Amino acid sequence: MKKFFYKMLGFATFTLFVLLTACPVFADTGNATDGKIHVDQVGYLPDYPKVAIVVATKSSNEFQIMNADTNEIVYKGVLSAPRKDISSGDVVRKADFSAVTTPGTYVVKVTGIGSSYKFEINDNIYYIPLVHTLRTYTLARSNIAMNDPITGLKHAMDHEKAKVAKVFFSDGISTKGDVVDVTGGWYDAGDYGKYVPTGGITVANILLAYEAQPEKFKRGQMFFPEGIAVDEAAPDMPDVLVEMKCELDWLLKMQRHDGAVYLKTSGSYWSDLNTRPEDEKYPQYVYGLATYNTALFGATNAMASRIYQKYDPQYAAKLLDASKKAFAFLSNHPEPMFRSDPGQNSGSGPYEKTAENEHHLWLAAVNAGYPNLTLTGDIEERIWLAAELFKTTGDKQYEEYLKNNFSKVIVIKPKAFSWTNSLALGQWAYVTNPAADESLKIQVKQAFLSYADSTLKQIEADGYSCSLGKNEYTWASNKVAMSKASMLVLAYQLDPKKSYLNAALDQVHYALGRNTNGVCYLTGSGTNPTQNVHNRIRVSTGIYIPGWLTGGPNSWPGGDPVQAQLLAKGNVPPAKTYIDVSESYSTNENAIDFTAAIVYLLAYFSAPNNNLTPEDIKVPAARAR
């Protein structure tokens, strides 16, 4: 999605054997499976459905649930009829053991097939993975000396040239060579770039989780490494808001005085994969400018303003002022604009919205009477910004802006939200605003629920109960699946159908091991988690960071050379196009927005554990190699 052109610099040599292996298994499988019984390797909640997927054309019709500690058989059941899963090519049968609700550690056994990995049944199995995911942001902070005793990550102060980053272009407001301090924030993904689109959508996604259930987030929850400053003026501010403030502070530095927002900052070239943070020496530049990016920035800040008001009113006012400046700039620039200069993508991703990302919205907008909108537009971000400003301020001018400009667009059936399409976030902000027009809210709600209902149908049609269609196994497929699940949880809050939550949880099960590859795509969780993430910190330091959600299977051509070798074999099912090697950046890279998508779900389905210690969240050596 974002790095089709990614430079293969300094990657290690590896054998054809690894290149052509669809999904190497690195965990100890001696006590478990031959890859035929797939479970959520973290576990299941007592009061929700519990299903394992058995890959078999011929097998016993019965399965057993065995207590892993006592070897006692606690449940016997009958497998469902075999069915072909289109995306994986597997013939699958389901083992439904929802009747088992007693907390404990279990395995699924099928005669003639074998046993599954161990898993737990408990009411708070997702809390440690949640803490892991939140801590990945702290460990991705830039321009900081890091010393984390929990993971062992340690590096010196890095990227000091970000203090004197230079603007890459001139446009009458900015002058090429202007110096901007762009220190702070988080590294976006496997590279050392920092991007406003993913930074903004990540903060918004996690604040969405906080706003829905603030009781899930506490002070001291994240076990900050020594030297991470917290605001003593706001002693009750939860750790998650302290961490989001780190990124928000950087985002504020990316706004010009006229309200427009730069696109990204990075080095001038891609660094080798084994480059430590403090060893990257390329000059730092500030690149690009876009109306979609400015609107996304404004929406995130408007949302954050109302959340931080409780803890730091001065900071909340600063965020709101930045949002209003962005809105004013966009009001003065009604046409979509994306500035791109030759050379600006030589060391970072382009983050240009493509026709593919925009086509469904563009077509619907044209049909609704907006014929002059472009395929690489900013419609949904403008909607989101206005909706957030209206929700935060109560000022009717923002609702009037929506009605006058986008009344027919805001009621279009959305897609799962991402940095390329935030219409659903605008719809959510509007429909949950008590001051909004009730008649328009009804239409928006219907559009939102229509998306949820169509997602349910896709999940029901899939052999693994995954929300991805066969053509959706592309770059960041895991993020797409988790975003779809988040949409279902939001839909549940509008219309409390248990089927929405059950289907959302199915996507968590998919990410945590109940997939054709038998891999837990969240590092540090489950028995067989992803190991060899495409990430410069991981490769250069050798430290395993738990809590990263990797991109996942990607069957689209042009991903990366490793993936291309796999596809060249021919007839590789889309769901199997995943390679757990660090060179496969199109299937095995992490990114802040990927992880944010599962943060929302883990937070929703977990509860705080006030007795957790740093030792509790250390990853066992068997999972971190």
Side-chain angles (χ1 to χ4, degrees), residues 566-583:
L566 177 62
L567 293 179
K569 294 172 63 178
N571 299 317
V572 180
K576 293 184 183 291
T577 52
Y578 170 74
I579 314 100
D580 188 5
V581 296
S582 59
E583 293 80 8

Side-chain angles (χ1 to χ4, degrees), residues 172-202:
I173 302 295
S174 297
T175 301
K176 188 172 184 177
D178 283 349
V179 173
V180 183
D181 178 357
V182 290
T183 53
W186 310 312
Y187 301 124
D188 174 70
D191 61 299
Y192 293 128
K194 296 184 288 189
Y195 308 88
V196 168
T198 48
I201 204 70
T202 295

Side-chain angles (χ1 to χ4, degrees), residues 253-551:
K253 292 180 178 182
M254 295 293 284
Q255 186 175 41
R256 295 195 313 195
H257 63 82
D258 66 339
V261 180
Y262 296 116
L263 182 69
K264 60 181 180 177
T265 179
S266 75
S268 48
Y269 298 99
W270 296 106
S271 59
D272 290 351
L273 186 58
N274 62 354
T275 303
R276 292 177 61 91
E278 66 269 37
D279 291 340
E280 187 177 73
K281 304 302 182 184
Y282 291 126
Q284 299 287 300
Y285 289 94
V286 177
Y287 299 104
L289 202 73
T291 49
Y292 97 86
N293 169 74
T294 297
L296 188 151
F297 164 96
T300 300
N301 278 276
M303 181 186 192
S305 176
R306 66 174 176 267
I307 291 170
Y308 282 86
Q309 178 65 33
K310 175 181 176 181
Y311 299 101
D312 191 340
Q314 261 190 316
Y315 188 64
K318 184 177 182 180
L319 295 171
L320 185 57
D321 180 65
S323 179
K324 288 179 176 179
K325 284 174 64 177
F327 185 84
F329 174 84
L330 293 164
S331 296
N332 292 326
H333 297 80
E335 297 299 320
M337 178 269 290
F338 184 93
R339 182 182 182 92
S340 182
D341 296 279
Q344 79 171 34
N345 298 327
S346 60
S348 55
Y351 285 91
E352 183 172 4
K353 295 172 70 172
T354 65
E356 176 198 333
N357 294 330
E358 288 284 287
H359 186 264
H360 98 288
L361 189 63
W362 171 80
L363 185 61
V366 169
N367 291 336
Y370 300 93
N372 298 320
L373 297 174
T374 68
L375 278 176
T376 53
D378 53 18
I379 310 164
E380 61 271 44
E381 286 77 31
R382 289 178 186 260
I383 290 173
W384 182 28
L385 169 56
E388 292 289 1
L389 279 170
F390 178 37
K391 186 174 181 178
T392 296
T393 67
D395 191 333
K396 286 284 187 178
Q397 70 161 309
Y398 301 113
E399 183 177 41
E400 289 305 310
Y401 171 85
L402 285 172
K403 288 183 174 182
N404 292 338
N405 293 281
F406 304 116
S407 62
K408 295 180 181 179
V409 182
I410 197 173
V411 298
I412 292 171
K413 180 179 174 181
K415 285 188 173 182
F417 58 86
S418 69
W419 68 264
T420 65
N421 190 331
S422 60
L423 175 63
L425 291 174
Q427 291 175 324
W428 175 257
Y430 190 80
V431 80
T432 56
N433 184 351
D437 182 287
E438 288 297 331
S439 60
L440 185 55
K441 281 171 68 172
I442 290 172
Q443 297 177 65
V444 173
K445 178 180 176 180
Q446 289 173 341
F448 204 96
L449 294 179
S450 173
Y451 176 83
D453 291 337
S454 63
T455 303
L456 280 183
K457 291 179 181 178
Q458 171 60 40
I459 292 168
E460 291 166 358
D462 188 84
Y464 283 87
S465 297
C466 179
S467 61
L468 299 173
K470 187 176 181 179
N471 65 341
E472 291 182 296
Y473 287 89
T474 179
W475 201 299
S477 64
N478 283 341
K479 182 193 74 169
V480 175
M482 297 308 103
S483 295
K484 287 187 172 190
S486 297
M487 291 285 286
L488 291 169
V489 175
L490 294 174
Y492 175 80
Q493 294 169 63
L494 298 178
D495 184 7
K497 293 179 180 177
K498 195 65 178 292
S499 57
Y500 290 154
L501 288 189
N502 293 342
L505 202 49
D506 278 330
Q507 309 320 295
V508 177
H509 297 327
Y510 167 84
L512 300 184
R514 201 182 68 183
N515 54 67
T516 184
N517 298 312
V519 173
C520 179
Y521 296 123
L522 189 71
T523 57
S525 291
T527 307
N528 187 32
T530 293
Q531 292 291 323
N532 304 293
V533 181
H534 178 89
N535 181 281
R536 280 159 177 74
I537 292 177
R538 166 65 170 135
V539 173
S540 67
T541 68
I543 297 299
Y544 187 78
I545 306 295
W548 283 335
L549 183 69
T550 53

Side-chain angles (χ1 to χ4, degrees), residues 76-148:
K76 293 182 179 180
V78 178
L79 295 172
S80 67
R83 60 180 290 194
K84 181 73 172 286
D85 176 60
I86 301 301
S87 295
S88 67
D90 294 340
V91 175
V92 298
R93 307 178 74 176
K94 293 187 176 182
D96 188 331
F97 54 101
S98 301
V100 181
T101 60
T102 303
T105 303
Y106 301 92
V107 295
V108 180
K109 298 195 72 172
V110 179
T111 302
I113 298 294
S115 302
S116 71
Y117 289 122
K118 294 178 182 179
F119 59 88
E120 285 190 57
I121 294 176
N122 215 316
D123 61 3
N124 206 17
I125 49 173
Y126 298 129
Y127 186 69
I128 289 178
L130 170 64
V131 174
H132 283 162
T133 58
L134 294 176
R135 294 190 86 250
T136 63
Y137 297 101
T138 304
L139 301 181
R141 287 194 185 197
S142 64
N143 314 112
I144 190 173
M146 180 62 66
N147 185 6
D148 178 44

Side-chain angles (χ1 to χ4, degrees), residues 140-185:
R141 287 194 185 197
S142 64
N143 314 112
I144 190 173
M146 180 62 66
N147 185 6
D148 178 44
I150 293 176
T151 60
L153 180 63
K154 187 175 183 178
H155 63 75
M157 179 70 70
D158 63 284
H159 290 88
E160 296 192 62
K161 291 182 180 180
K163 295 177 183 176
V164 289
K166 294 181 179 180
V167 175
F168 196 67
F169 63 89
S170 298
D171 69 350
I173 302 295
S174 297
T175 301
K176 188 172 184 177
D178 283 349
V179 173
V180 183
D181 178 357
V182 290
T183 53

Side-chain angles (χ1 to χ4, degrees), residues 183 244-254 315:
T183 53
M244 295 306 105
K245 187 175 182 295
C246 172
E247 185 75 354
L248 287 164
D249 287 346
W250 172 75
L251 287 170
L252 290 171
K253 292 180 178 182
M254 295 293 284
Y315 188 64

